Amino acid sequence: MPAILQEFKEFINKGNLLSIAVGFVMGAAFTAMVNSLVTNVIMPIAAIPFGQPNFDDVLILTINGAQIKVGAFLTTLVSFLLVAWAVFLMVKAYNRIAPPKEEAPAGPDEATLLAQVVDELKGVRADLSNR
């Protein structure tokens, strides 16, 4: 039994499991925040012309007792577009205030690398011919 616990401990400590867990929790919190912004602030503003905060009761088609709720789909579609827009604006704002990432210096190009290999081979050939 202790071998299994040791293996489990190694599994947990391997990689960035803690970082992934923190990212997941932060993602869930961010999702809740964006959904709240859309549901409680943006959708009521968007619904001002219609007098209600969603379109669930608009465009309901009833055929043989089955309800086709086109308005509910429109509410979901508008919510999705507003969430996407809110996330876009938040990312745009973050990119403005976040310091730019430094790019890694570019390595040598292929011609330079090939020239270095040829020089090394010439050096090896010269060493072999001197023996």
Side-chain angles (χ1 to χ4, degrees), residues 4 9 16 72 105-106 108 122:
I4 290 177
K9 180 181 174 186
N16 293 328
K122 286 180 183 176

Side-chain angles (χ1 to χ4, degrees), residues 44-75:
I45 292 171
I48 288 173
F50 303 101
Q52 53 187 353
N54 60 43
F55 313 113
D56 292 350
D57 297 329
V58 179
L59 290 173
I60 298 176
L61 305 173
T62 305
I63 302 173
N64 289 336
Q67 289 187 336
I68 301 170
K69 299 180 178 183
V70 178
F73 172 74
L74 288 175
T75 298

Side-chain angles (χ1 to χ4, degrees), residues 24-39 83 87:
F24 184 78
V25 169
M26 292 301 294
F30 184 77
T31 299
M33 181 186 65
V34 171
N35 285 336
S36 176
L37 172 68
V38 169
T39 302
V83 166
V87 169

Side-chain angles (χ1 to χ4, degrees), residues 81-101:
L81 293 173
L82 291 174
V83 166
W85 181 254
V87 169
F88 168 74
L89 292 177
M90 288 179 182
V91 169
K92 191 173 173 115
Y94 173 79
N95 287 338
R96 267 199 189 160
I97 63 172
K101 293 182 180 179

